[in-house]
Amino acid sequence: MDLSTWRALMSGERPAPDWLAADNGFASVCGMREAHAPIAAAVRTVTAGARYNIIDLGCGNGALLAASCEGTPDLQPLGIERDSRKLAHARAMFGRAVSHWPSCDMFACPAPLETAADRSVVLIMPGRLLEAGADRAATLCRWLRSHADIILCYAYPDWIARYGNLDELGRRAGFASLESVGPDRTIAIGRLP
């Protein structure tokens, strides 16, 4: 994936369009960069230089995937996003490399996905399972069991404040356990029952 446009926008070398942060739920590029940095570091930690697909459920315009895969050619990004406008922004930044990213609801993911590596790390914010309702969450959990070698759960401060910590959020979302990755306990490897 060519990250040159993304790097220029993130560094301020080129003016960032309003959608760069907004597509991912942030008010500013700086805030997005700060929030994505520990998640990207966790991706690199759990993959340890091996070849993996990095699948982001609800990827927005792909900025988290770009941060996660930057400088690691063995990581193959795949975004799933239901908002075709956000995927169009991803294509504006990353070109043809993201043309196979599906525009679909993460709770109705296509199977099998077009992936480049045999193993996959799936990025998910557990609160999405709570928002979806029991039936849709169960469908996604079945998909996760069959597609994810590693489920990397993360939460931003608003979700941590609501549930007290990632462990409680993960427990309520149906994870059997969470194994923290990093010092602040906002990123963890999730295990489903």
Side-chain angles (χ1 to χ4, degrees):
M1 184 159 87
D2 179 6
L3 299 179
S4 58
T5 300
W6 174 79
R7 281 189 201 105
L9 294 170
M10 293 299 287
S11 69
E13 181 182 317
R14 287 181 46 189
D18 292 339
W19 52 257
L20 182 60
D23 278 0
N24 300 296
F26 292 94
S28 72
V29 171
C30 181
M32 180 178 70
R33 186 175 43 241
E34 288 174 10
H36 285 175
I39 301 165
V43 167
R44 289 188 292 277
T45 296
V46 302
T47 57
R51 185 172 168 82
Y52 278 91
N53 298 300
I54 307 301
I55 302 171
D56 186 3
L57 300 179
C59 70
N61 60 33
L64 176 57
L65 281 167
S68 297
C69 296
E70 184 176 28
T72 51
D74 287 333
L75 301 182
Q76 304 299 314
L78 177 63
I80 295 173
E81 175 58 55
R82 70 178 174 195
D83 186 334
S84 59
R85 181 183 49 84
K86 292 176 183 179
L87 284 178
H89 294 156
R91 289 183 187 99
M93 285 193 294
F94 309 119
R96 292 175 31 139
V98 302
S99 63
H100 66 286
W101 290 10
S103 178
C104 67
D105 184 332
M106 75 173 83
F107 298 96
C109 296
L113 290 168
E114 180 183 325
T115 58
D118 292 333
R119 297 179 292 179
S120 295
V121 174
V122 176
L123 306 176
I124 187 166
M125 201 292 289
R128 300 295 171 243
L129 294 167
L130 296 174
E131 293 173 334
D135 290 343
R136 288 168 42 92
T139 299
L140 182 58
C141 287
R142 282 191 298 277
W143 185 89
L144 286 167
R145 285 185 199 94
S146 67
H147 285 80
D149 295 286
I150 299 170
I151 303 169
L152 196 60
C153 300
Y154 65 90
Y156 297 124
D158 56 333
W159 283 92
I160 297 294
R162 195 177 311 168
Y163 289 91
N165 57 53
L166 182 60
D167 292 329
E168 181 62 17
L169 173 58
R171 184 187 69 72
R172 292 201 189 177
F175 286 89
S177 67
L178 293 175
E179 178 187 331
S180 185
V181 178
D184 64 0
R185 298 202 48 79
T186 60
I187 307 159
I189 295 173
R191 309 237 188 276
L192 290 165

